[in-house]
Amino acid sequence: MSTTPPQAPATLQLRRYQLTPDTLDSFVRWWQKDLVPVRRAYGFDIPFAYVARDTAELIWVVGHPGDEAAFTEAERKYNAWPDRVASMARQPVAPVSGTAAFVRDVVPPATVPVRGTDADL
């Protein structure tokens, strides 16, 4: 079993979608079943996604290899991809608002100390 943490994509973008309490669940179901597979098929990764029920938000991170310029170019092409266009046409409701910002990790990854033999205890 490996203790090395998985490598994060080189560029990450934090996205926050504000919905309404009555549309949050249908939007999230569509996002999980429809949009996530399309994003992944185009080479994007989604390291995490959370729902904040008290604010009716979907908060997620999307990543892509390369720098911000490479991410932006990949997203431009992705947005025109027929599978993505079709997925968006099936979107049950549009978010009330949304934000997206490139982010960088500021917490060093946790390390697991390497133990010697039981004799070293």
Side-chain angles (χ1 to χ4, degrees):
M1 177 160 99
S2 173
T3 59
T4 305
Q7 293 297 314
T11 300
L12 299 173
Q13 189 179 69
L14 176 67
R15 294 179 168 230
R16 296 178 72 124
Y17 295 161
Q18 179 72 53
L19 292 122
T20 60
D22 61 319
T23 62
L24 179 63
D25 289 337
S26 65
F27 183 87
V28 169
R29 275 192 303 276
W30 164 80
W31 182 85
Q32 290 171 321
K33 291 181 178 181
D34 211 326
L35 195 65
V36 169
V38 172
R39 274 264 184 199
R40 288 182 172 152
Y42 206 78
F44 289 89
D45 183 33
I46 300 170
F48 77 80
Y50 295 96
V51 166
R53 289 210 171 271
D54 58 335
T55 57
E57 288 180 284
L58 172 62
I59 304 159
W60 59 294
V61 167
V62 59
H64 196 275
D67 59 13
E68 288 181 19
F71 182 106
T72 300
E73 178 61 15
E75 184 152 81
R76 184 188 66 75
K77 291 177 181 176
Y78 161 78
N79 285 339
W81 193 36
D83 288 353
R84 191 264 183 185
V85 172
S87 174
M88 294 304 291
R90 293 185 293 272
Q91 182 178 350
V93 62
V96 173
S97 65
T99 61
F102 290 113
V103 294
R104 298 192 193 290
D105 190 3
V106 295
V107 176
T111 57
V112 178
V114 177
R115 291 183 47 195
T117 66
D118 288 340
D120 293 336
L121 297 177

